[in-house]
Amino acid sequence: ELSGINNLLNGSRIYLFDLNDKEATNLGVDSFFVNNQIFEKIKPVSFSAFVKNYSTRSVDNSVASLFINGKRSAQQSFSASAGQSIKLNFETTLADTGLVEAYVELEDDDINQDNKRFTCFYVPDKINVLILTDNPGDAQFIKLALNNAGSQTFSISENYASQIASLNLLKYNAIILIGQDIMSGGNKLLNYLESGNGIILMPGSKSSIASMRSLFETLTLPPPSVFIGLQNSSKNSAGFGKVDLQNPLFKDIFENNSKLKIDSPEIFYYAKINPGISGKTIISMNDNSAFLSEYKIGAGKILVFNSAPVLSSGTFPLKSLFAPLVNKSVLYIS
């Protein structure tokens, strides 16, 4: 039995606290986590910590501090009754890129070993984006959006989708595929996704429903059923239905998401996509199909737009939502 205990304690540290018969005052940080799913330099980031009062008496006006890379970035005072667990929220602005270490720390009390808890996350300084197209002109508005992204730097490379077999996809943090003329490159894209990377998928101006179905099936996505509408014709245009404003893609785009009504573009020509149980709809059409949907593939994720980012398919590239949504989408999948 002693040998079993010795093996169990091997490498462990044991602390003895001599409290001289006094009742210990002890607050502890039970958990600490970052709330953001998208990180941008010079943009807000929020954290939450659960702090518990392990004492048998109340603690008033204690202080918790948030540190980013060793620098105090925020703090707040709090009170907790005996045995109470409370949630503290912090918000600060990111000034650093790369691997960022964050921790929350409480004031000293009788037992300090549980007063601090860490987390870390990666903030890219530059995001390498590969744009693949059947027709280079289809990427015009996408490139304009990425080249005017404010504090975020995107390094853009372009190739024909048909050349995917000769490319090292792992050089890129995100891929935007506009079109489906990828020859035999579908499995290469699937491996890229399953390895934890991200893709934004859009129809091209010359995409066929057959080519889209073939690619979607290779990527294990529910295939579109049909193209609806006419290119270059607003006669029977469609528009947005519901928008999930709680999705991370919309964080910080608008000041007050709860009361926002998004100005819908006119969509002339789009593929009818129903994510079913394999994905989720972020923006729906007024026929309840998905304008923008998200899917998890292995360790990666893919965002699917139902319409080409060109004016022959609709007015979406002209709307104020277009550029920030494109930028946020690339940040999200990368």
Side-chain angles (χ1 to χ4, degrees):
E1 291 184 2
L2 288 176
S3 63
I5 294 174
N6 287 335
N7 290 334
L8 181 65
L9 296 178
N10 184 33
S12 301
R13 295 181 181 181
I14 299 176
Y15 297 91
L16 300 177
F17 301 95
D18 182 7
L19 300 174
N20 295 318
D21 297 325
K22 85 167 188 175
E23 188 175 309
T25 298
N26 181 40
L27 297 170
V29 183
D30 283 354
S31 62
F32 175 56
F33 49 90
V34 60
N35 295 314
N36 293 54
Q37 294 187 49
I38 299 175
F39 300 101
E40 298 177 76
K41 186 178 179 181
I42 322 179
K43 290 294 180 68
V45 61
S46 67
F47 301 84
S48 294
F50 281 93
V51 175
K52 184 171 182 178
N53 181 4
Y54 287 95
S55 312
T56 58
R57 60 176 180 267
S58 297
V59 174
D60 297 320
N61 298 319
S62 189
V63 174
S65 299
L66 171 71
F67 291 82
I68 304 292
N69 286 342
K71 300 176 183 177
R72 191 192 307 270
S73 299
Q75 68 177 33
Q76 59 175 285
S77 62
F78 66 94
S79 299
S81 57
Q84 183 184 13
S85 179
I86 63 172
K87 183 180 181 181
L88 302 178
N89 296 311
F90 303 88
E91 186 169 294
T92 187
T93 300
L94 286 175
D96 301 324
T97 57
L99 189 63
V100 176
E101 179 189 78
Y103 64 89
V104 64
E105 185 172 28
L106 306 178
E107 293 181 307
D108 287 353
D109 55 20
D110 290 328
I111 302 176
N112 290 328
Q113 278 70 22
D114 58 359
N115 286 3
K116 182 188 293 188
R117 197 171 282 265
F118 293 81
T119 189
C120 63
F121 50 92
Y122 186 78
V123 183
D125 180 51
K126 179 179 69 174
I127 295 178
N128 295 316
V129 182
L130 173 63
I131 299 177
L132 298 170
T133 62
D134 300 341
N135 173 24
D138 290 353
Q140 175 187 1
F141 291 104
I142 296 292
K143 289 188 294 182
L144 284 172
L146 296 178
N147 285 327
N148 293 277
S151 61
Q152 185 60 58
T153 301
F154 296 105
S155 176
I156 301 172
S157 300
E158 292 183 79
N159 274 95
Y160 282 100
S162 59
Q163 297 175 332
I164 191 172
S166 64
L167 301 175
N168 178 9
L169 301 186
L170 296 180
K171 290 169 49 180
Y172 304 100
N173 306 112
I175 293 175
I176 302 175
L177 174 58
I178 308 172
Q180 287 75 45
D181 186 17
I182 60 171
M183 307 298 284
S184 59
N187 287 327
K188 195 169 184 178
L189 284 177
L190 183 60
N191 291 335
Y192 178 81
L193 282 168
E194 291 177 336
S195 299
N197 300 293
I199 294 175
I200 296 171
L201 179 58
M202 300 176 168
S205 59
K206 299 179 181 179
S207 292
S208 68
I209 199 67
S211 65
M212 287 192 69
R213 284 178 178 171
S214 176
L215 175 60
F216 276 51
E217 288 169 357
T218 300
L219 298 179
T220 69
L221 301 173
S225 57
V226 67
F227 269 110
I228 294 177
L230 294 171
Q231 290 178 317
N232 295 306
S233 173
S234 62
K235 184 176 181 179
N236 295 307
S237 64
F240 289 172
K242 296 180 180 179
V243 180
D244 178 10
L245 293 173
Q246 301 308 309
N247 190 279
L249 292 177
F250 295 101
K251 185 175 177 61
D252 301 326
I253 290 183
F254 309 107
E255 290 185 3
N256 189 346
N257 283 8
S258 63
K259 298 180 180 179
L260 182 70
K261 182 173 176 60
I262 289 180
D263 182 24
S264 172
E266 291 183 277
I267 308 298
F268 309 152
Y269 189 67
Y270 65 94
K272 189 167 185 177
I273 298 171
N274 290 299
I277 61 173
S278 62
K280 63 180 179 181
T281 299
I282 300 173
I283 302 176
S284 70
M285 300 290 289
N286 45 25
D287 65 359
N288 292 321
S289 65
F291 173 81
L292 172 59
S293 49
E294 177 185 356
Y295 308 82
K296 298 290 179 65
I297 307 292
K301 49 183 174 265
I302 182 166
L303 294 175
V304 177
F305 288 81
N306 73 351
S307 183
V310 295
L311 297 182
S312 61
S313 292
T315 62
F316 182 48
L318 303 180
K319 294 295 182 178
S320 59
L321 176 64
F322 178 80
L325 184 57
V326 168
N327 294 332
K328 288 284 186 178
S329 296
V330 173
L331 288 168
Y332 181 61
I333 65 166
S334 63

